[in-house]
Amino acid sequence: MIPDDRLAHLVQDARRGMERALQIRLIEHSIAFGHWSFLRILWEHDGLTQRELSEIAGVTAPTTSSAMNAIESLGYVKRMQKVHNKKNVYVYLTKSGKALKEKLLPLAEEVNAIAIDGLDPEEVRIARKVLLKIIGNLVVDEQNLLLTENKRLPSKRELGRLTSV
């Protein structure tokens, strides 16, 4: 029987299931799921500033800093300032951080394969098309609310205060 849940709940459940499946695999390599996004970004764009890394990952600067502390302590990244620019902190993968890509990407591919098991290629193509359209619609809505209606996204701290009342 098909669940009668709202689409948002189904997407959230699918995301959560995929994250858990990947986390189970990543933990064997002492990588927290929260660090996965940063590593993926750095494999494609090594040498970003911490600020750029935060923006691409869609998280706050303190979250990125905390993650970089942990990943650096594992020996996978190094943070450095450039001689001509002491203001910014740049994040670089170490040799072992780069080598993780060969170990970890197959794990993510495995989870994706499990998630689409039993679907034919056309169903996967349609699912991707639908999800990309949903994402695009929500981006436009957010931009409209933030720009045209002068609304802003509250910080997590503000949200906590609002919801604790």
Side-chain angles (χ1 to χ4, degrees), residues 16-154:
R16 187 179 299 124
M18 291 181 81
E19 284 179 4
R20 290 174 57 84
L22 184 55
Q23 178 61 78
I24 290 168
R25 288 160 175 81
L26 290 174
I27 205 68
E28 294 174 19
H29 300 277
S30 301
I31 301 295
F33 182 79
H35 302 159
W36 167 249
S37 295
F38 296 111
L39 289 168
R40 268 188 28 240
I41 293 165
L42 290 168
W43 289 331
E44 299 302 317
H45 308 286
D46 197 17
L48 294 172
T49 65
Q50 269 193 201
R51 172 175 280 207
E52 291 168 330
L53 192 52
S54 294
E55 289 170 5
I56 294 170
V59 297
T60 64
T63 298
T64 300
S65 181
S66 176
M68 290 306 101
N69 287 341
I71 298 171
E72 189 172 37
S73 73
L74 294 169
Y76 297 133
V77 298
K78 279 207 175 296
R79 291 181 283 185
M80 301 183 322
Q81 293 177 315
K82 293 187 177 177
V83 175
H84 66 279
N85 185 349
K86 297 284 187 188
K87 180 180 156 193
N88 293 326
V89 175
Y90 293 83
V91 182
Y92 295 94
L93 289 164
T94 62
K95 187 176 180 181
S96 59
K98 290 175 184 176
L100 275 178
K101 184 177 182 178
E102 290 180 35
K103 294 177 186 174
L104 301 184
L105 275 183
L107 303 178
E109 291 166 354
E110 179 183 12
V111 170
N112 279 302
I114 291 166
I116 63 171
D117 186 42
L119 299 175
D120 65 51
E122 181 64 8
E123 289 173 314
V124 174
R125 187 191 68 73
I126 291 169
R128 287 181 53 80
K129 181 179 177 181
V130 168
L131 289 171
L132 288 169
K133 180 63 176 166
I134 289 169
I135 292 166
N137 289 344
L138 294 171
V139 166
V140 169
D141 177 66
E142 181 180 330
Q143 289 171 344
N144 287 339
L145 289 173
L146 296 177
L147 296 175
T148 61
E149 296 186 25
N150 265 346
K151 293 192 178 190
R152 66 180 186 82
L153 191 61

Side-chain angles (χ1 to χ4, degrees), residues 8-20:
H9 295 164
L10 295 173
V11 169
Q12 181 180 21
D13 289 347
R15 177 196 53 82
R16 187 179 299 124
M18 291 181 81
E19 284 179 4
R20 290 174 57 84

Side-chain angles (χ1 to χ4, degrees), residues 154-165:
S155 69
K156 289 183 180 181
R157 184 174 293 162
E158 287 174 294
L159 282 173
R161 283 195 298 260
L162 291 172
T163 58
S164 66
V165 176

